[in-house]
Amino acid sequence: MTTSATATASTASTAALTAGTSDRTAQDRIDDPSSHRVLTGDRPTGPLHLGHYFGTLQNRVRLQDQGVEMFVLVADYQVITDRDIADRLAEHTENLVLDYLAAGLDPERATIFAHSAVPALNQLLLPFLSLVSVAELSRNPTVKDEIAHSSQAAVNGLMFTYPVHQAADILFCKADLVPVGQDQLPHLEVARTIARRFNERYPHADGSAVFPRPRALLSDAPMLLGTDGGKMSKSRGNAVALGADEDATARTIRGAKTDADRRISYDPVGRPEVSGLVLLAALCQDRDPEAIAEEVGDGGAAALKRTVIDSVNEYFRPLRARRAELAADRGHLRQVLREGAERANTIADATLAEVREVMGAI
Ligand code: TRP
């Protein structure tokens, strides 16, 4: 009860933990980068796409380059929340690492690992589960939404408990900042609740707390729409993969939904599909969307799509070339994961030892 947030700062800066009570922080407010530890990750269910790139990957690389300590997680156990079998898991895992490296994450500076390879991380799930009620688990709006969209006949237990596992992902390394999208905020709240309750229930003998209270780092990057006008998604076939070749990129973009108005404008509310394409070209060209729309003018959807195709292919050419080079050496990708797991295991073992000690489980 008495352990204040400020007492938890073993890896996290006091400033970050005491700046308000908010669970989120804007991207541009990171000062003193070296005082933070960031953890984020993805499920290995398919190739990363342009939405991931502009939504989070670019940001991660920026944080890394600012000197923030980065942990990037391949959440392989989390794949089997909404499907029976983790299809082609090894391949998806390696390709995720490939996308990370191609985008600019540097395994010398960022710890890239799969959580299934870190036993002590997974063991944190047990005490953490005791800190949340079944009612709380079943109220999670993101979980509810995923259940609504799941094609499984029955909802499995991991679906309800994976947010707690995700808390273990974050807390094993005492990360204080978690770059995520809006849909992950309920999970971040679970992690914060678990950290708080754990610290209250099991303080160190000197009263200090074991875990920091992690905060979401919401990127201000706009959400890109898929080519069908819906949310861009790995599994909906409506996205350009980071590693797609130029022809496939052109095909996907040519198939994008637009509207009948020849005059191109940037109006995300009134014309979401057209505006999504304009935005994509703008992000690639690092210009204002309005300027892109103006330039295409009366050229209609066909001209707009040509602009988008050229912009995407041009912008991603160096990344894709790097990706192709890295793809030739699968052994290197596995080596990156092995080394990441080794670092993660050292940290997870220490955290688990600390957890067992404060719980009196020696
Ligand atoms: N649930 C996240 C997603 O689908 C992936 C993830 C797993 C994650 N563990 C995490 C993200 C921990 C941030 C922190 O995108």
Side-chain angles (χ1 to χ4, degrees), residues 160-172:
F160 281 105
T161 51
Y162 86 81
V164 180
H165 191 222
Q166 195 160 318
D169 291 341
I170 296 167
L171 295 175
F172 93 91

Side-chain angles (χ1 to χ4, degrees), residues 39-43 52 60 71 73-76 78 115 142 146 162-163 165-170 177-181 183-184 187-188 234:
L39 179 129
T40 185
D42 306 279
R43 302 200 304 164
H52 294 115
R60 293 180 197 175
F71 285 73
L73 161 87
V74 178
D76 48 359
Q78 210 182 94
H115 61 183
T142 296
E146 284 165 351
Y162 86 81
H165 191 222
Q166 195 160 318
D169 291 341
I170 296 167
L177 294 175
V178 186
V180 285
D183 65 318
Q184 298 293 304
H187 299 348
L188 225 282
K234 281 190 275 219

Side-chain angles (χ1 to χ4, degrees), residues 53-54 58 283-284 310-319:
Y53 182 81
F54 289 113
Q58 219 182 18
L283 287 166
C284 292
D310 290 346
S311 312
V312 168
N313 282 339
E314 178 130 350
Y315 181 84
F316 285 100
R317 202 165 289 137
L319 182 154

